[in-house]
Amino acid sequence: MNIVRNAPSAQELSDMYQRAGWIESPDTQQMERSVVAPSEWFVARDTDGSVMGIGRVITDYVRYAFIVDVITKSEYQKRGIASQIMDEITAFCRELSLDSVNLWPSEGKVGFYEKLGFYPLPASQPHMKLK
Ligand SMILES: CC(C)(COP(=O)(O)OP(=O)(O)OC[C@H]1O[C@@H](n2cnc3c(N)ncnc32)[C@H](O)[C@@H]1OP(=O)(O)O)[C@@H](O)C(=O)NCCC(=O)NCCS
């Protein structure tokens, strides 16, 4: 397994979102725009080139980073792939000496990210989304 720093293809990203159950039928043109948008990709590929897991960082390279799209295909889960992707992502963020590296765990994933060095913010500082 190799973690490569190129974006997945639009089809690969679409497949990962569907597998994660995040988007039922991703729009092809939107997926194409998404993979060329400025962001740092970390893609775990098997020796045959197929995607095993992904992770993405959106950052201003100075102060903030937002970690999104952390997904491992179900058949490769529990083998440490997302942890390796996250280790590379945190090393990348530490190298930039960013002030604020953020993510929003899916339900049940707080413990997973705590093991990787993240801590939950108090209820007084919740993650907020635009309605
Ligand atoms: C969350 C997710 C990315 C984790 O991927 P993963 O590659 O299985 O993660 P890892 O193998 O690095 O670690 C996952 C768990 O398996 C454990 N694990 C890792 N290697 C293991 C091994 N060889 N044997 C048994 N367990 C192992 C880890 O300790 C961790 O335990 P935890 O669930 O109790 O925290 C994956 O479950 C996923 O894609 N879920 C759907 C999308 C999603 O919710 N993403 C998170 C968005 S915030």
Side-chain angles (χ1 to χ4, degrees):
M1 190 268 287
N2 271 324
I3 297 180
V4 296
R5 295 294 311 281
N6 302 319
S9 69
Q11 184 52 50
E12 288 170 333
L13 183 62
S14 172
D15 178 49
M16 295 304 276
Y17 284 160
Q18 284 175 309
R19 285 165 177 266
W22 291 354
I23 307 181
E24 206 174 305
S25 352
D27 178 278
T28 308
Q29 284 182 338
Q30 283 183 352
M31 291 300 103
E32 304 219 341
R33 285 213 305 279
S34 178
V35 295
V36 298
S39 46
E40 299 287 343
W41 284 98
F42 298 75
V43 178
R45 290 191 182 275
D46 208 344
T47 45
D48 65 1
S50 57
V51 174
M52 303 168 87
I54 60 173
R56 176 187 212 174
V57 182
I58 297 169
T59 180
D60 68 355
Y61 301 94
V62 176
R63 187 162 161 75
Y64 302 108
F66 300 92
I67 301 169
V68 295
D69 292 346
V70 179
I71 306 169
T72 301
K73 285 183 179 171
S74 56
E75 60 269 39
Y76 298 116
Q77 287 179 9
K78 304 275 181 194
R79 294 194 201 174
I81 290 174
S83 302
Q84 283 185 62
I85 290 172
M86 285 299 300
D87 285 347
E88 291 214 11
I89 286 177
T90 50
F92 167 82
C93 292
R94 288 195 195 283
E95 197 148 313
L96 290 171
S97 299
L98 302 171
D99 296 311
S100 184
V101 178
N102 305 271
L103 57 81
W104 296 276
S106 302
E107 196 176 345
K109 301 300 177 201
V110 170
F112 170 69
Y113 289 114
E114 278 181 328
K115 281 190 211 158
L116 295 164
F118 290 78
Y119 64 92
L121 291 172
S124 57
Q125 292 175 274
H127 167 215
M128 296 183 79
K129 292 177 91 163
L130 184 64
K131 284 184 197 165

